Amino acid sequence: MTTTTSTTATTDAALPSPEELGVVLTDAPIVPTAPGVPLASLVRLALRRNPRRAHLLVSTVLAKHVPTVPAVALLAGEALGARVADVLDGGARLDAGAAARLRAVLDRQQATDVAGDGSDALHRAATTLRTDLAAVRPTLADVLVLGFAETATALGATVAEALGAGYLHSTRHDPPGATPAAGFDEAHSHATAHRLLPAEDDWLPADGTVVLVDDELSTGATARETIRALHAVAPQRQWVVAALVDLRSDADVAATEALATELGAPVAVVALGRGRVSLPDGLTDTAAALVLSAAAPLTTTTPDRTTSSDGTTPPDGTTAPDSGPTADGRPAPGPARASRPDAVTVVAAPPTAVDRTGTPAARVRTPRTDVEGIAADLARVLTDTSGRVPDRVLVLGTEEHMATPLAVADALRRRTTADVRSSTSTRSPVAVFDAPAWPIRSGIRHRSHDVTVDGPGERYAYNVHGFDAVVVVPEPGTGRSSLEGPDGLLDVLATVTPRVLLVDSALEPAGAAASSPRPLTGPSFGSYEPDEVTWLLQDLADAALEADTADRERAIQLEGANYAESLPVEYVPSESYEELYREALTRSAERIAEAVGIVTDLVLLDRPDAVLVSLARAGTPVGILMRRWAEQQRGVRLQHYTASIVRGVGIDETALRWLAAHHDASQVVFVDGWTGKGAITRELTDALDRFAASDGVRFGDGLAVLADPAGCTPLHGTRDDYLVPSACLNSTVSGLVSRTVFNRAWTPEGTLHGAKQYRELGPRDHSRSFVATIADRFSAVRPRVDAAVAADAGPASRAVDWRGMRTVEAIGAEYGITDLHLVKPGVGETTRVLLRRVPWQVLVRDPEDVDVAHVVALARERSVPVVTRPELSYSCVGLIHPLGSRVSDTGTAAGTTGSVA
């Protein structure tokens, strides 16, 4: 059974709708093994001037012609990548449930466009689904993804990221000295020639898998020609063609099957939506007449004329409008020409890599530039002195340059309350019909600025009217002069928006090492949603860093190695141990929620615009919880980063320099889970003092923690030593990220400290559920938090007394341990001893205390003595085996008392 849907639900009395022209989208029958979404959720019909094809299916999820919530475009690419992965490995990532959620997001998008609001909920829904799909990503380093210019360059990059595959997109650019490795034509396109300009000779795998990505398969002819040409260069084991929509006829499907037989290699075709578009006879003539009679003019910079959609000046001398409608027809805000080209705000950005020369699989999940830094700078520039940001912001890429602008737009959306959309300029001359039935409501015309094989020409951008600010992100290396002057992009935009910003970036040479830090976000690093945390770390996925625990301990204690030079083998908890974690979380969630609320509110008292910097990795989930409390309970959106601190090294100075470049250092508050004896607190203070002396930037050394049994920070939720359940686990409650690494072989001077992610542990990941479980208690504990903060007598009542260090010194003296780093007090620190180090003994105040049940269980798993010490001020203390010392391997030091549990 097929279902037929109109491309729009509303019509305008003055204009026929696509349905009234006889154009109908018909969905293909549902395939249970590959459920999709309706075509009308993915595309809408527009008309264009092109003798080869009069109609154009405008994607609603591509962020190309129509300004789109960035998270929706990223989700579309992730979903298409999941579909490709399912074909390659027989998985079921995009199953019926995921497809239903995808359709719900797209339905929400349609409702948002009609209502004109609700983009925040749309962003969250799309981001959550994308993160869920990314949790089961494969890593297919031997696969090549090839995206088609100009519309599918970002889509291809997102598919490659989802697959962990190498990426290259076709291009019409003509850089000096470029020699194409291959080329092909796209017969129906406005500009037909495609070239491939890979930087490496071995860009095409031999007897491997190549995935071609395009936004739409009309006939599949371009894909077939490309496959035939590339197969002649290097025969492949299999080919996959992936598109948002597949509209091929039965004859086209048969032609693809015949190609597979001809080549002796399977050619699979996957899409998010399948069906047919029915076009009436004579549509070309009908469309031409409608364009001539009813198309709205395009805005140009010339003040006494506009250009109609066919590039001519209207005969009646109609003047260029000072403003145009928004994408949904609302009046444009702000006065016309409020921004002049000489007042364009330029935001300098680090060099940016492009995908047209190829991006290897090892780098495909890394940003092509400092996306987070660019977004932070844009957010600062867009914020006025009263703290307000514009209501609607468009991030506009140019032609093939889509992926980085889309990433910047999503990052900017996460950092502000603005309704941020993303789109790009285009070569396609689409007819503008200012009516709800048609997707292209307004447009501008400007001259080209890129050097291409077909020479200069006119370019267009659609639905850009009505934004409070437009951020232009052109190809890296684009000279500003090429964007200015009569009919220059910046000048034209200045006629339709009050503010124009330009991101200016140099081109990073192909294969060059990143010239600046590139902070990471989920879902490509870690399992948290990108809104939750930005990782000031580099991904050391390819580094062999894990070492045997005993070998690490010998290197640390006897050879002078720093514990951060290597990684312990990641502990995979048993089912019984995980049950202890779940019980502890259920038991203590409300207590943790209360501590989160208290410490967050104490921070906000002094810094209402605080920038949270958690200490990876134990501090990371706490920073996420504090950010959530501030937003959900206090209506304050805080930025949250996580950075590395290493005992004996200090906090990552490259991370500090990044923070100082993009934020007010006085607003930064460091966050950790708990204190042990206060060693990290002192390490932080010393490191920040050194940084102030070397760089002249002073960060405050206040450390916000949930629990401070050491008595070393006034910013705490409690001073009780109790179990923070995240201490029970390692990466599986910290975003699947390892502890941090400081090893100059992998983290050279000037680069960020590193970490690895353990994606293979995804099925056992509790990171997001841990946060959600505690956040669900926020409303219940808010009255108690309000009362506690109201009763707070100020910093003096929370004075530091360093009680923890005194306890540690006493235990060290009693046990003959001269290196106090081997004494780890508190539930969290004792847990770490058992999970990462060579434990000698565990001292517990009460072995029946439920807060130490997991400690006792771990100790028994490892045959570590548990000694009962009722007089302890902490719930427990872990002793690391003092290799090479006079202390015996068994029992307690002379003169100690206590029973072994």
Side-chain angles (χ1 to χ4, degrees):
M1 177 180 178
T2 62
T3 59
T4 301
T5 56
S6 166
T7 58
T8 182
T10 59
T11 62
D12 185 270
L15 286 170
S17 68
E19 186 179 36
E20 290 166 341
L21 290 180
V23 180
V24 178
L25 295 176
T26 302
D27 294 312
I30 297 174
V31 178
T33 56
V37 295
L39 293 175
S41 297
L42 297 166
V43 294
R44 295 181 65 189
L45 184 101
L47 301 180
R48 59 177 170 182
R49 285 184 66 255
N50 187 328
R52 298 176 183 86
R53 189 164 61 171
H55 74 286
L56 171 71
L57 290 179
V58 173
S59 173
T60 59
V61 299
L62 195 61
K64 181 62 181 178
H65 299 93
V66 177
T68 305
V69 172
V72 173
L74 293 169
L75 169 61
E78 189 74 42
L80 187 58
R83 177 131 293 168
V84 173
D86 289 344
V87 167
L88 294 179
D89 64 12
R93 298 167 182 84
L94 196 63
D95 58 12
R101 291 177 64 192
L102 176 60
R103 179 171 182 174
V105 170
L106 299 180
D107 288 346
R108 185 187 290 270
Q109 176 176 243
Q110 291 180 332
T112 299
D113 289 342
V114 170
D117 57 20
S119 67
D120 192 61
L122 175 59
H123 166 85
R124 290 196 302 270
T127 299
T128 298
L129 178 53
R130 181 190 175 210
T131 305
D132 290 344
L133 290 173
V136 288
R137 282 176 173 176
T139 298
L140 306 174
D142 57 344
V143 171
L144 173 68
V145 174
L146 177 63
F148 285 96
E150 67 177 21
T151 53
T153 57
L155 180 65
T158 311
V159 169
E161 182 180 332
L163 298 176
Y167 181 55
L168 175 72
H169 71 69
S170 66
T171 183
R172 297 178 178 111
H173 278 234
D174 190 23
T179 302
F184 49 90
D185 287 335
E186 185 178 10
H188 65 260
S189 175
H190 183 68
T192 61
H194 288 253
R195 304 197 304 169
L196 298 177
L197 302 177
E200 302 296 333
D201 293 336
D202 59 350
W203 63 278
L204 189 60
D207 191 31
T209 298
V210 177
V211 180
L212 307 184
V213 178
D214 209 350
D215 60 314
E216 169 196 341
L217 284 181
S218 299
T219 65
T222 301
R224 291 194 297 272
E225 179 184 342
T226 304
I227 291 172
R228 185 175 282 109
L230 295 182
H231 199 81
V233 175
Q236 300 299 315
R237 184 171 62 255
Q238 62 180 332
W239 295 86
V240 180
V241 181
L244 295 173
V245 295
D246 179 2
L247 304 172
R248 294 173 301 153
S249 66
D250 292 340
D252 296 325
V253 173
T256 302
E257 294 170 348
L259 174 64
T261 301
E262 171 193 329
L263 301 180
V267 180
V269 179
V270 301
L272 297 183
R274 293 179 180 271
R276 304 285 166 80
V277 55
S278 300
L279 304 175
D281 294 337
L283 178 64
T284 301
D285 293 337
T286 303
L290 186 62
V291 169
L292 184 63
S293 64
L298 297 171
T299 300
T300 69
T301 53
T302 310
D304 59 351
R305 59 191 268 279
T306 59
T307 305
S308 67
S309 60
D310 63 359
T312 63
T313 302
D316 60 359
T318 304
T319 60
D322 281 349
S323 61
T326 65
D328 56 10
R330 289 177 292 159
R337 296 185 176 86
S339 173
R340 303 302 335 149
D342 58 0
V344 170
T345 303
V346 178
V347 175
T352 300
V354 295
D355 294 320
R356 70 172 54 85
T357 53
T359 300
R363 298 176 64 175
V364 79
R365 287 173 173 163
T366 301
R368 308 304 190 260
T369 188
D370 181 7
V371 167
E372 297 302 317
I374 295 170
D377 291 346
L378 287 170
R380 185 173 62 239
V381 170
L382 287 168
T383 304
D384 64 21
T385 55
S386 67
R388 291 188 67 258
V389 295
D391 292 332
R392 304 185 75 235
V393 177
L394 173 66
V395 176
L396 183 69
T398 56
E399 300 188 55
E400 296 173 9
H401 190 52
M402 295 181 65
T404 291
L406 179 61
V408 169
D410 189 58
L412 182 60
R413 171 63 186 77
R414 290 186 267 109
R415 292 173 177 276
T416 69
T417 57
D419 178 2
V420 180
R421 305 294 177 108
S422 181
S423 65
T424 68
S425 62
T426 177
R427 295 163 167 264
S428 299
V430 185
V432 173
F433 297 116
D434 188 12
W438 296 90
I440 304 301
R441 303 291 302 277
S442 65
I444 64 171
R445 179 189 61 79
H446 64 93
R447 70 172 190 277
S448 61
H449 50 265
D450 296 326
V451 178
T452 58
V453 292
D454 55 346
E458 292 183 347
R459 301 294 185 262
Y460 312 91
Y462 299 108
N463 292 0
V464 299
H465 295 66
F467 286 92
D468 300 295
V470 175
V471 178
V472 181
V473 187
E475 286 277 350
T478 300
R480 180 175 172 181
S481 61
S482 67
L483 301 168
E484 296 176 328
D487 293 334
L489 176 58
L490 298 179
D491 289 53
V492 180
L493 287 172
T495 69
V496 299
T497 182
R499 298 186 68 182
V500 178
L501 293 84
L502 173 66
V503 175
D504 183 24
S505 172
L507 175 64
E508 183 175 276
S515 58
S516 62
R518 295 178 181 178
L520 305 171
T521 63
S524 285
F525 188 80
S527 61
Y528 294 117
E529 295 185 18
D531 303 61
E532 304 278 27
V533 60
T534 297
W535 303 84
L536 297 178
L537 297 168
Q538 58 177 308
D539 187 355
L540 301 180
D542 297 330
L545 291 162
E546 285 79 7
D548 175 76
T549 301
D551 291 340
R552 290 185 75 249
E553 199 63 56
R554 280 191 292 271
I556 293 168
Q557 290 196 44
L558 304 180
E559 300 170 14
N562 188 287
Y563 66 90
E565 292 177 13
S566 62
L567 289 172
V569 176
E570 189 72 8
Y571 171 67
V572 179
S574 64
E575 178 55 38
S576 60
Y577 184 80
E578 287 210 354
E579 181 59 31
L580 285 175
Y581 159 78
R582 288 189 288 268
E583 291 174 358
L585 179 59
T586 300
R587 185 175 61 252
S588 62
E590 194 161 299
R591 182 166 56 171
I592 300 295
E594 184 175 347
V596 168
I598 291 172
V599 72
T600 307
D601 283 359
L602 290 177
V603 167
L604 292 175
L605 285 176
D606 292 330
R607 295 180 179 89
D609 297 315
V611 176
L612 304 179
V613 179
S614 57
L615 304 181
R617 65 185 167 178
T620 307
V622 178
I624 290 172
L625 284 165
M626 291 176 65
R627 179 189 174 278
R628 282 207 187 182
W629 174 275
E631 182 169 24
Q632 295 177 6
Q633 301 301 316
R634 306 306 181 199
V636 178
R637 182 173 295 181
L638 302 179
Q639 298 305 308
H640 173 220
Y641 301 93
T642 200
S644 169
I645 188 169
V646 175
R647 195 183 68 242
V649 174
I651 193 165
D652 185 349
E653 291 192 349
T654 301
L656 291 180
R657 292 187 183 99
W658 190 95
L659 289 165
H662 301 292
H663 292 283
D664 180 354
S666 67
Q667 294 300 308
V668 169
V669 177
F670 296 95
V671 175
D672 208 352
W674 55 86
T675 61
K677 55 182 172 286
I680 287 296
T681 307
R682 289 180 170 175
E683 188 78 53
L684 177 65
T685 297
D686 293 345
L688 296 176
D689 286 344
R690 291 194 302 270
F691 187 79
S694 64
D695 286 51
V697 178
R698 168 59 70 181
F699 287 87
D701 64 351
L703 181 65
V705 298
L706 293 185
D708 178 36
C712 61
T713 175
L715 291 174
H716 55 263
T718 180
R719 280 202 162 130
D720 295 338
D721 179 27
Y722 65 87
L723 173 63
V724 178
S726 57
C728 294
L729 304 175
N730 278 339
S731 66
T732 52
V733 77
S734 303
L736 295 181
V737 172
S738 74
R739 65 175 308 162
T740 61
V741 173
F742 175 77
N743 183 325
R744 283 307 186 206
W746 296 100
T747 59
E749 187 74 32
T751 67
L752 294 166
H753 291 191
K756 300 180 74 169
Q757 56 178 331
Y758 299 112
R759 195 173 293 277
E760 68 275 12
L761 298 180
R764 309 187 75 142
D765 187 20
H766 301 280
S767 303
R768 294 165 70 196
S769 63
F770 170 75
V771 171
T773 299
I774 294 171
D776 284 346
R777 272 61 169 191
F778 282 170
S779 295
V781 303
R782 179 168 173 171
R784 298 205 297 271
V785 171
D786 291 343
V789 175
D792 180 71
S797 66
R798 298 177 261 114
V800 170
D801 58 20
W802 296 101
R803 66 186 72 168
M805 187 58 72
R806 293 196 301 272
T807 298
V808 167
E809 290 169 347
I811 291 173
E814 180 181 350
Y815 280 77
I817 300 175
T818 57
D819 182 359
L820 296 184
H821 292 313
L822 303 182
V823 181
K824 302 291 187 179
V827 179
E829 294 305 299
T830 304
T831 304
R832 288 177 168 182
V833 169
L834 290 164
L835 291 177
R836 304 176 185 172
R837 306 295 294 271
V838 175
W840 176 44
Q841 296 184 45
V842 170
L843 315 181
V844 298
R845 186 168 56 203
D846 177 5
E848 302 303 318
D849 183 352
V850 291
D851 277 340
V852 300
H854 74 289
V855 169
V856 173
L858 275 177
R860 287 173 177 163
E861 275 187 19
R862 287 158 168 71
S863 300
V864 177
V866 177
V867 180
T868 302
R869 298 290 300 270
E871 77 285 0
L872 284 178
S873 59
Y874 287 89
S875 297
C876 57
V877 177
L879 304 182
I880 297 171
H881 199 296
L883 303 179
S885 79
R886 65 177 179 82
V887 181
S888 62
D889 286 348
T890 59
T892 61
T896 62
T897 59
S899 60
V900 178

